[in-house]
Amino acid sequence: MKALRNYLDKIKPNFEKGGKYEKLQSTFDAIETFLYVPKKVTFKGSHIRDSIDMKRTMSVVLIALMPALLFGMWNVGYQHSLSIGETNGIFDNFLFGAIKVIPLIAVSYIVGLGIEFIFAQYRGHEVNEGFLVSGMLIPMIMPIDVPLWMLAVATAFAVIFGKEVFGGTGMNVFNPALIARAFIFFAYPAQMSGDKIWIAGLTEGKGVVDGFSGATPLGNWGQNIADHTSFMDMFLGFIPGSIGETSKLAILIGAGILIFTGIGSWRIMLSTILGGVFMTLIFNMFAANEYMKVDPLTQLVMGGFLFGAVFMATDPVSASQTNKGKYIYGFILGIFAIMIRVFNPAYPEGMMLAILLMNTFAPLIDYYIVEANINRRLKRAKKAVN
Amino acid sequence: MSDNISVKKRESLFSAQNLKLLKGPFNDNNPITVQVLGICSALAVTVQMKPAIVMALSVMIVTAFSNLIISIMRNGIPPSIRIIVQLVVIAALVIIVDQLLKAFVYDVSKKLSVFVGLIITNCILMGRLEAFAMANKPWQSFLDGIGNGLGYGLILVVVSFFRELLGYGKILGMQVIPDSFYQAGYVNNGMMILPPMALITVGTIIWIQRSKNRDLIEK
């Protein structure tokens, strides 16, 4: 470790103003700050700097994503063995999944970071660290069989039009990872919906057991077919689905890490879940069709609801900033997610659209919360004067 | 003395000043990307190139001739009812264009559906009439109309080129992306056909234009 630090210090002057590689300054800076906490200090006034900066924050989120990712890799292999009627060991399944998943992660990072570096270089900014998490989230919310070039196009679209257009990390209105998913969802619907795509190799149909459907519980319900997958299977994640979202247990572990370190907002997670439960209970009251009768717990463990609530809705940039606003934001988000699911068979997974929709409204919610606060204090001040 | 004045007044038909009217709308004064007028039709008719070209031609003709006619009449129009007069002229021209399209290119006219009729409400037309034709001579107004129509058409053609190429794999209705691509797993981008992508394409053009021409950026 020491040697690396020394090496960085040695080559650093080359990248500073007047150095040989002056133009690559932002690239060097990105690598250096990724490896070590920057030593930058402020000189004027009193500034308290938290030792945890943006890159460290992102690393924690990455760690929180690990349980879901590792389980996802195993599940890819497990679902594949199920579909061809074999029973493989844990390790074999995991290996199969890892071989399938790692290229997706690599493509997402290479394309996304490549574009980030180009923009940073061109604009003379520091390289934004936001993509560390987005780059991991993007493959995790994709079906396993998504073609690599499609993933690359979607990632490029998400980084350019979801982020760079607005000015880079911290300025984006929408969650970039969800933009990537929404892009594929609308641009290449055949690769993002249906019941064949969620299991590796099922679209080719080679050696698939007779009668094996591959439909997800959510997909079944979306077409109003009663699904009888057990709660435990859905909770532990032995179901087909996007790579990272099947195991609710793994997601809850991630949520625990995020809440414990104070990086993910528990307010948003809690209120999103409450919103979802609230809407499901209303549907239960009407119970006009089978889908409306599904109980709240099942709705929560189906599809990407929890994954969205924990990792997507809590995105510190695109969510509401005020505490009160976070409750409102999450609650409406949960309501919309369940509503889109149940009412619109064309969009079985409402979570993606609900989060993108609420991202648009987050600044508005904040605005009114702040305004209300100002008015309240003005009133109080007036009272005090009188 | 009198000779001097007449020399000053005579201006050649394509003087630098007049050419600027024609060229301005291509870049610094583009009706869509700079004035941000006529966006709705630009989003709606740019799915394929053929309708986009026809639409661009129609708008150009209507803008040019309505500019010309209003400019000729400009001193006789009472200011209080000028909008009505302008609308009557535009509407008459649009109906003529619409009938011509129906007669000669029926299938394109069907694809354009209401958008030919909606040229009447196209902001470019009213904008140019109000801003230019009411205060300038007929020939200049005519050139201004042609220029703005071309500027509008340029954006329409560029946007529709990308939308048709990526959305259908075709250009002007001809397959340009080879079958071997499709067999290798290439899929047409369904989102390019939807209106949001037209907006994003126009936005990208504005983005590129502004990063090249920094004078356009508002302070």
Side-chain angles (χ1 to χ4, degrees):
Chain A
M1 283 313 265
K2 193 90 185 173
L4 186 63
R5 180 73 257 181
N6 288 341
Y7 176 70
L8 281 177
D9 283 341
K10 206 180 93 191
I11 61 168
K12 197 171 183 176
N14 287 333
F15 294 96
E16 274 159 6
K17 248 205 164 127
K20 250 190 293 181
Y21 308 113
E22 189 190 340
K23 287 220 172 90
L24 290 173
Q25 207 270 332
S26 61
T27 312
F28 175 79
D29 185 68
I31 295 168
E32 190 199 9
T33 49
F34 175 70
L35 293 169
Y36 291 99
V37 178
K39 283 190 202 134
K40 280 179 199 155
V41 280
T42 42
F43 293 105
K44 270 187 182 166
S46 56
H47 298 285
I48 298 171
R49 282 177 77 103
D50 199 333
S51 63
I52 188 158
D53 67 345
M54 183 107 99
K55 282 200 173 83
R56 259 30 73 179
T57 318
M58 297 298 176
S59 321
V60 173
V61 182
L62 278 188
I63 292 169
L65 280 168
M66 279 309 128
L69 178 70
L70 294 178
F71 182 87
M73 285 183 179
W74 173 80
N75 194 40
V76 166
Y78 173 71
Q79 293 296 335
H80 177 73
S81 337
L82 270 190
S83 75
I84 56 170
E86 280 177 13
T87 41
N88 285 333
I90 287 181
F91 185 73
D92 284 342
N93 282 338
F94 183 79
L95 199 67
F96 178 88
I99 291 170
K100 284 271 179 189
V101 174
I102 286 170
L104 294 180
I105 299 176
V107 165
S108 148
Y109 270 120
I110 291 170
V111 172
L113 285 178
I115 293 172
E116 288 254 2
F117 272 74
I118 292 169
F119 269 95
Q121 216 59 82
Y122 183 72
R123 291 179 168 165
H125 288 177
E126 283 177 35
V127 172
N128 291 318
E129 42 283 275
F131 195 76
L132 285 180
V133 170
S134 305
M136 186 59 85
L137 283 173
I138 289 172
M140 286 178 77
I141 50 176
M142 294 289 168
I144 183 66
D145 260 354
V146 65
L148 291 179
W149 70 268
M150 245 173 231
L151 184 72
V153 172
T155 311
F157 182 86
V159 174
I160 296 175
F161 291 102
K163 223 155 100 177
E164 294 303 338
V165 163
F166 298 105
T169 302
M171 313 291 240
N172 45 315
V173 181
F174 301 107
N175 186 326
L178 277 176
I179 293 210
R181 192 177 201 274
F183 180 80
I184 295 193
F185 186 82
F186 287 108
Y188 310 109
Q191 272 69 27
M192 196 44 119
S193 44
D195 48 13
K196 292 260 182 259
I197 54 159
W198 308 107
I199 296 174
L202 199 62
T203 31
E204 289 156 27
K206 231 182 275 165
V208 174
V209 180
D210 282 347
F212 186 84
S213 88
T216 62
L218 191 70
N220 273 339
W221 278 115
Q223 302 179 333
N224 246 321
I225 305 166
D227 188 275
H228 300 294
T229 317
S230 74
F231 174 82
M232 231 27 204
D233 274 2
M234 286 196 270
F235 180 74
L236 294 175
F238 303 130
I239 50 168
S242 297
I243 295 164
E245 50 92 356
T246 52
S247 172
K248 309 305 167 308
L249 181 67
I251 293 168
L252 287 180
I253 296 173
I257 297 175
L258 286 183
I259 293 172
F260 177 73
T261 51
I263 283 167
S265 160
W266 60 267
R267 290 186 178 85
I268 294 180
M269 295 181 201
L270 181 75
S271 58
T272 306
I273 290 168
L274 284 182
V277 170
F278 174 74
M279 199 62 218
T280 319
L281 286 177
I282 289 184
F283 280 142
N284 285 348
M285 250 165 61
F286 286 100
N289 59 25
E290 284 301 306
Y291 202 172
M292 285 192 181
K293 289 179 197 157
V294 177
D295 62 296
L297 266 181
T298 316
Q299 281 281 22
L300 287 187
V301 295
M302 261 196 317
F305 189 94
L306 265 186
F307 191 84
V310 171
F311 294 113
M312 303 294 209
T314 55
D315 173 8
V317 179
S318 54
S320 277
Q321 308 290 324
T322 51
N323 280 347
K324 237 188 243 168
K326 281 175 181 166
Y327 287 120
I328 300 170
Y329 166 87
F331 194 73
I332 304 178
L333 201 162
I335 289 179
F336 269 120
I338 300 293
M339 202 192 286
I340 296 171
R341 256 186 198 182
V342 175
F343 277 158
N344 199 335
Y347 306 127
E349 184 45 290
M351 200 58 187
M352 169 180 83
L353 299 166
I355 296 176
L356 286 175
L357 180 71
M358 286 316 290
N359 280 169
T360 358
F361 285 110
L364 187 74
I365 296 172
D366 280 342
Y367 173 79
Y368 279 112
I369 299 282
V370 172
E371 283 293 297
N373 200 27
I374 291 173
N375 285 340
R376 200 162 42 85
R377 296 185 68 153
L378 269 182
K379 246 185 220 160
R380 199 193 296 157
K382 267 185 201 154
K383 233 183 212 167
V385 171
N386 293 338
Chain B
M1 200 59 180
S2 61
D3 277 343
N4 223 348
I5 291 169
S6 70
V7 166
K8 237 186 203 170
K9 278 209 167 171
R10 283 200 75 81
E11 207 181 356
S12 76
L13 283 184
F14 290 100
S15 64
Q17 200 80 39
N18 287 351
L19 276 185
K20 217 180 137 197
L21 292 176
L22 211 52
K23 279 189 206 151
F26 276 90
N27 191 6
D28 296 348
N29 204 14
N30 190 288
I32 294 185
T33 61
V34 180
Q35 302 170 24
V36 197
L37 299 174
I39 288 286
C40 347
S41 57
L43 303 189
V45 300
T46 51
V47 177
Q48 285 166 321
M49 273 186 94
K50 207 169 155 195
I53 292 172
V54 172
M55 180 74 182
L57 282 177
S58 319
V59 169
M60 189 178 80
I61 290 167
V62 175
T63 330
F65 283 97
S66 63
N67 259 8
L68 179 69
I69 294 170
I70 291 293
S71 174
I72 293 172
M73 306 198 309
R74 70 182 187 281
N75 294 324
I77 304 174
S80 49
I81 58 159
R82 64 179 198 286
I83 304 275
I84 302 173
V85 176
Q86 289 164 3
L87 272 179
V88 170
V89 171
I90 298 172
L93 284 166
V94 167
I95 290 168
I96 294 172
V97 167
D98 194 22
Q99 295 300 321
L100 283 175
L101 289 184
K102 274 188 187 142
F104 293 106
V105 276
Y106 185 66
D107 51 329
V108 177
S109 139
K110 259 175 96 181
K111 258 185 205 147
L112 288 172
S113 64
V114 295
F115 289 100
V116 176
L118 282 178
I119 295 178
I120 297 174
T121 57
N122 196 319
C123 311
I124 297 175
L125 288 153
M126 292 300 282
R128 290 332 288 171
L129 289 181
E130 279 286 294
F132 200 89
M134 287 301 282
N136 285 285
K137 287 183 184 162
W139 174 245
Q140 275 91 335
S141 304
F142 184 73
L143 284 183
D144 181 76
I146 297 269
N148 274 287
L150 282 176
Y152 171 83
L154 175 75
I155 303 295
L156 248 66
V157 169
V158 172
V159 173
S160 62
F161 171 79
F162 284 111
R163 286 184 76 189
E164 190 174 0
L165 178 67
L166 299 173
Y168 295 103
K170 295 176 179 172
I171 290 176
L172 280 169
M174 274 180 305
Q175 193 73 37
V176 285
I177 292 179
D179 275 346
S180 52
F181 270 55
Y182 291 101
Q183 274 150 22
Y186 178 79
V187 185
N188 283 334
N189 188 325
M191 199 158 158
M192 286 310 272
I193 302 167
L194 303 173
M197 268 325 254
L199 189 68
I200 290 175
T201 318
V202 172
T204 314
I205 295 174
I206 294 180
W207 187 18
I208 294 169
Q209 191 187 11
R210 288 191 168 213
S211 50
K212 286 219 156 141
N213 188 352
R214 301 217 156 247
D215 299 338
L216 292 174
I217 299 173
E218 295 90 354
K219 287 276 143 30

